[in-house]
Amino acid sequence: MSRILKLAVAALALTQEACLGHARHLRTSQVFVNSRDVGNEYDYIIVGGGTAGLTVADRLTEDGASTVLVVEYGELSTHADDLRTGNSESISTVQGGFMGMADATLMYDIQSVPQKNLQNRTIAVLAGKVVGGSSAVNAMMTVRGTAADYNRWGSFFSTSSHWSWDSLLPYFKRALNFVPPDADVTKSANITYDTSFWGNTSSVRAGWPSFQYPGTTAQMDSFKGIPGVPFVKDSGSGLPGVYWYPTFMDPVLVERSYARTGHHDVAAKRPNYHLVAGSKVTRIVLNGTTATGVSFVPVSSGPVANHTALETVVSARKEVIVAAGGIHSPQVLQLSGIGPRKWLTSANITTIVDLPGVGQNLQDHPMIQATFMYRSFTFRPSPQDLLTNATFSSWSDAVWAANRTGPNSIATGNAAAWLPFPVISSRAANLSDALTAQNHTSYLPADTDPTVAAGYRAQMLSYATALAANTTAFYNLVLTGGNTNGIVVDLHPLSRGTVTINPANPYNSEPLVDYRALSNPLDVSIMADIVRFTRRYHLDNPSTRAWGATELAPGRATQTDEQFAKYLAETLSPSEFHPVGTCAMMPRELGGVVDEELRVYGVKGLRVVDASIMSTLVGGNTCQTVYAIAEKAADLIRFGPPKAATA
Ligand SMILES: Cc1cc2nc3c(=O)[nH]c(=O)nc-3n(C[C@H](O)[C@H](O)[C@H](O)COP(=O)(O)OP(=O)(O)OC[C@H]3O[C@@H](n4cnc5c(N)ncnc54)[C@H](O)[C@@H]3O)c2cc1C
Ligand SMILES: *[C@@H]1O[C@H](CO)[C@@H](O)[C@H](O)[C@H]1NC(C)=O
Ligand SMILES: *[C@@H]1O[C@H](CO)[C@@H](O)[C@H](O)[C@H]1NC(C)=O
Ligand SMILES: *[C@@H]1O[C@H](CO)[C@@H](O)[C@H](O)[C@H]1NC(C)=O
Ligand SMILES: *[C@@H]1O[C@H](CO)[C@@H](O)[C@H](O)[C@H]1NC(C)=O
Ligand SMILES: *[C@@H]1O[C@H](CO)[C@@H](O)[C@H](O)[C@H]1NC(C)=O
Ligand SMILES: *[C@@H]1O[C@H](CO)[C@@H](O)[C@H](O)[C@H]1NC(C)=O
Ligand SMILES: *[C@@H]1O[C@H](CO)[C@@H](O)[C@H](O)[C@H]1NC(C)=O
Ligand SMILES: *[C@@H]1O[C@H](CO)[C@@H](O)[C@H](O)[C@H]1NC(C)=O
Ligand SMILES: *[C@@H]1O[C@H](CO)[C@@H](O)[C@H](O)[C@H]1NC(C)=O
Ligand SMILES: *[C@@H]1O[C@H](CO)[C@@H](O)[C@H](O)[C@H]1NC(C)=O
Ligand SMILES: *[C@@H]1O[C@H](CO)[C@@H](O)[C@H](O)[C@H]1NC(C)=O
């Protein structure tokens, strides 16, 4: 049986190699599609060639001496090459920002478990499955969240933690190369920015479209009709408010700039960087409690009864770094015997380290439907003109074809409001008190480990302070410049979910993802106030009144918290595709999985570096944060923790 399987795999691998031969030829001999080309031993092995994994690999190979193998489940796309030769494709295309989402081959196929508080609806769990990971498919919004979000991470350790806004700022600067917007557009749209918050050395670019709809500026200005809304000069300043932000875009090529173009393509020129694509890591190889390597199988082998026969085992002289993202990093740890004993036992996996936090603490940004349509929005041109005005849409296509300028250079937009709770709600102090007074444990699964419950309580007490203060953003409305607005985002949900290996088929199936949406009932009150404020902005605001907004959803009949509970159960989407927290950086006694140096508790030679280490969500889309985490991690790995600041 195993011989037949091996033959089948070899045949598949040959076909695969023929398909990817083009890319392999164009790139370098260090990028493999076949495990037989991989060496036996490397200094570092990185599990997952996504946003964080490729950043770390690039930095660790900069010295020309340290050898690194990246093992990536997805393929090395040839798309970027296609675009340069004139074919349109899904990854590089900027317009719409979400083209990658439309291409199912670039994404894992995962549905959440039925959500008890959402009428048993299941939710699509989106994550990139290609070299570049989720940075290849995301909507390109380039934001950071607030300083308070980062100081919160350190606060769970000590007041002198080296995880803080101040200590991360240099890594934000190293992570991205900021190219300011065109001077004419800056002037006509009133774009503000401050380059002192940015760097200009990274090969990952943050750029701007060469066009803005005039309605966007008007929608930003209209927040002046509501007292107390702060306006912020630059998205990188760590302050909440209304601001402009850039796009993950190379402004010269006007293409997506992501971990593949900015890190893989750079590192692939070095002989000490190897990447093997189409390869699924099944487990971390451990000698006792020391990580000594990884084991992987070709994805093309499909579901198999016995992985051992197909496994390639490669050794790591120094470290194994897990960077498989918020959904898959906890799965890889659990398959390796590192996780909650109860879950591992139910899947017949021997527990090496009983680490209760692995796969707990799942958080994501809920998207709430609050749909408004303006009858008299007079700003022209406007995004809907692309659909209704043939003159405008052909001009748009013509300037794009001529020099990649115009409306097609806009991804998902570049302006939004990120507001603290006291600014949007008159009951901030009340909800803060209610959160403090809760029996937090009662909103976690019944069998939750006491350390995980203690960590949840610490998070909720920190959020209670944040709810009553003006330093953390809870509210996000993205401004489109058009005559309709549909989604509003809760940046700090209280409910926590889980990611568990499937006990019935741990190696061959995706993990079970349960957002446990609305399991903390105060989320309903917070989200109700988020919608109420959105109503106020559109309907009860001197600056927007002339636009003649109509509320399409939820509709004026939804007023009380009870009515909102029903509406949210019917319509809430618990994910903005920002899963974090499942390998949380917290003290072990607070249910943490990694320490401040991102080392897995109880295991030597093993770190996690990706979105899963965020103990609490940041008040912004998560990609820029992941790049900064990875840049800092590369320094922790190379140089150890920073020397304590001298008094
Ligand atoms: C549709 C979508 C839209 C988004 N929009 C935005 C946005 O506009 N702005 C923003 O800032 N953020 C956005 N995000 C979020 C952001 O892109 C992610 O938070 C970030 O890219 C995550 O980085 P990561 O390194 O943690 O994981 P990823 O970049 O997902 O990398 C994980 C990698 O590990 C690989 N992998 C997984 N399991 C295995 C295994 N067993 N063996 C080998 N390899 C494995 C995966 O294939 C993947 O390449 C979006 C995400 C999605 C999915
Ligand atoms: C959801 O599923 C559970 C378990 O199958 C069932 O008891 C419950 O009635 C369902 N709820 C709804 C609203 O369908
Ligand atoms: C830009 O700002 C200036 C000064 O505040 C103002 O006069 C002008 O109307 C603004 N332009 C737009 C397009 O809002
Ligand atoms: C890059 O940033 C440095 C430091 O802020 C600045 O001195 C330099 O002029 C910048 N270079 C470019 C090309 O923008
Ligand atoms: C927060 O800002 C709002 C609006 O400016 C103000 O009314 C409120 O008093 C502030 N709250 C705190 C705690 O600073
Ligand atoms: C495991 O570690 C022990 C102790 O360091 C060592 O003696 C042994 O050779 C190792 N085993 C393997 C298979 O590497
Ligand atoms: C799986 O395959 C390995 C290697 O071929 C073999 O040693 C092992 O016995 C097999 N396990 C099972 C359960 O068949
Ligand atoms: C259509 O677009 C053109 C070019 O932008 C503009 O001049 C014209 O006024 C638009 N027509 C309508 C009906 O909006
Ligand atoms: C881009 O092309 C259009 C149409 O040919 C032209 O009007 C415009 O001046 C060009 N812009 C730049 C920046 O080259
Ligand atoms: C806040 O709580 C107090 C005391 O419970 C109550 O009297 C008051 O109405 C509440 N305010 C709001 C805005 O809910
Ligand atoms: C809090 O909730 C937990 C779990 O539901 C329960 O065991 C515990 O007794 C509760 N504590 C208090 C003080 O009510
Ligand atoms: C676990 O082992 C038990 C007993 O050997 C067996 O009945 C069960 O099917 C196994 N489960 C899995 C998921 O392999």
Side-chain angles (χ1 to χ4, degrees), residues 141 216 220 223 241-245 414-418 476-479:
M141 287 175 63
T216 306
M220 290 178 87
F223 276 95
V242 175
Y243 53 71
W244 289 94
Y245 55 84
N414 299 87
W418 314 81
N476 173 223
L477 181 70
V478 173
L479 305 168

Side-chain angles (χ1 to χ4, degrees), residues 146-161:
T146 65
D149 294 324
Y150 297 92
N151 294 334
R152 182 172 298 112
W153 293 353
S155 76
F156 299 126
F157 289 92
S158 72
T159 50
S160 58
S161 173

Side-chain angles (χ1 to χ4, degrees), residues 171-183:
Y171 295 108
F172 278 117
K173 292 182 181 179
R174 189 183 294 176
L176 296 180
N177 182 335
F178 179 89
V179 184
D182 170 86

Side-chain angles (χ1 to χ4, degrees), residues 120-347:
N120 290 344
R121 283 183 289 127
T122 67
I123 311 296
V125 180
L126 300 189
K129 186 188 71 175
V130 62
V131 174
S134 296
S135 74
V137 298
N138 72 24
M140 302 188 213
M141 287 175 63
T142 309
V143 294
R144 282 183 197 175
T146 65
D149 294 324
Y150 297 92
N151 294 334
R152 182 172 298 112
W153 293 353
S155 76
F156 299 126
F157 289 92
S158 72
T159 50
S160 58
S161 173
H162 57 78
W163 286 89
S164 65
W165 169 256
D166 287 344
S167 68
L168 270 161
L169 192 52
Y171 295 108
F172 278 117
K173 292 182 181 179
R174 189 183 294 176
L176 296 180
N177 182 335
F178 179 89
V179 184
D182 170 86
D184 290 342
V185 182
T186 302
K187 196 155 177 282
S188 66
N190 277 355
I191 296 174
T192 63
Y193 61 87
D194 178 349
T195 54
S196 72
F197 292 106
W198 298 89
N200 56 21
T201 57
S202 177
S203 300
V204 181
R205 305 300 171 104
W208 297 79
S210 52
F211 182 89
Q212 289 295 344
Y213 291 104
T216 306
T217 309
Q219 286 168 354
M220 290 178 87
D221 284 348
S222 63
F223 276 95
K224 290 176 181 150
I226 299 175
V229 172
F231 284 75
V232 171
K233 188 174 179 194
D234 190 275
S235 66
S237 65
L239 298 170
V242 175
Y243 53 71
W244 289 94
Y245 55 84
T247 301
F248 290 112
M249 177 178 83
D250 183 314
V252 177
L253 298 170
V254 198
E255 287 178 358
R256 179 188 295 272
S257 182
Y258 66 115
R260 184 265 170 87
T261 58
H263 289 300
H264 169 83
D265 289 352
V266 173
K269 298 190 177 85
R270 302 178 189 130
N272 52 328
Y273 171 86
H274 288 190
L275 178 140
V276 60
S279 300
K280 176 185 174 181
V281 170
T282 47
R283 64 192 167 90
I284 295 145
V285 179
L286 296 152
N287 178 359
T289 55
T290 302
T292 58
V294 305
S295 159
F296 59 90
V297 297
V299 171
S300 55
S301 61
V304 287
N306 182 358
H307 276 98
T308 318
L310 297 169
E311 274 175 354
T312 300
V313 174
V314 181
S315 301
R317 269 183 291 262
K318 292 182 174 166
E319 288 194 26
V320 174
I321 296 144
V322 178
I327 300 298
H328 292 105
S329 282
Q331 182 195 31
V332 168
L333 291 186
Q334 290 167 19
L335 290 175
S336 312
I338 303 161
R341 182 185 297 277
K342 206 176 134 186
W343 293 354
L344 307 188
T345 305
S346 70

Side-chain angles (χ1 to χ4, degrees), residues 75-108:
E75 299 295 351
L76 182 71
S77 162
T78 57
H79 293 171
D81 304 310
D82 291 345
L83 195 79
R84 282 178 202 107
T85 59
N87 301 323
S88 73
E89 58 83 21
S90 51
I91 292 183
S92 300
T93 304
V94 170
Q95 187 185 15
F98 262 87
M99 293 303 282
M101 261 183 87
D103 186 344
T105 65
L106 301 174
M107 214 86 74
Y108 289 94

